Amino acid sequence: MCICINCRHIHRCKTYEFIEQQHNNHKIKQILNYFIPINTIIIVYINKKHVNIYLDWDLKECSSFVEKPGNWLTFL
């Protein structure tokens, strides 16, 4: 699971937006000042089901992470 959901920076984070684009969940939003995190590690899981290949993108480590549980709920 992506650690971004409990991060204070989720609403402005450029890395989180990238991961959302990879999941095809990108919502068009006008953000004037993106937050660019440092030292991030993105893990890509490759899943094969029959002849189809699925990629699952998760952020596993981020030096800019600041915990704020439930912050992602304001996206809904």
Side-chain angles (χ1 to χ4, degrees):
M1 175 182 287
C2 186
I3 65 171
C4 298
I5 64 169
N6 286 323
C7 183
R8 181 181 87 181
H9 304 294
I10 191 172
H11 301 294
R12 300 181 306 122
C13 183
K14 193 69 171 164
T15 301
Y16 182 73
E17 180 186 39
F18 170 77
I19 291 171
E20 285 292 292
Q21 287 174 348
Q22 303 314 306
H23 285 143
N24 295 321
N25 292 334
H26 183 64
K27 297 176 179 77
I28 298 174
K29 52 188 170 183
Q30 189 72 16
I31 297 177
L32 300 176
N33 55 349
Y34 275 107
F35 176 78
I36 300 174
I38 56 172
N39 298 327
T40 58
I41 296 177
I42 297 174
I43 304 288
V44 180
Y45 297 99
I46 302 171
N47 300 308
K48 183 177 178 192
K49 187 174 184 181
H50 304 292
V51 295
N52 297 320
I53 295 176
Y54 301 96
L55 302 177
D56 184 24
W57 298 71
D58 286 328
L59 183 74
K60 288 294 182 186
E61 198 169 309
C62 177
S63 293
S64 300
F65 179 80
V66 178
E67 190 167 12
K68 186 175 179 185
N71 195 30
W72 65 277
L73 290 172
T74 57
F75 273 155
L76 301 178

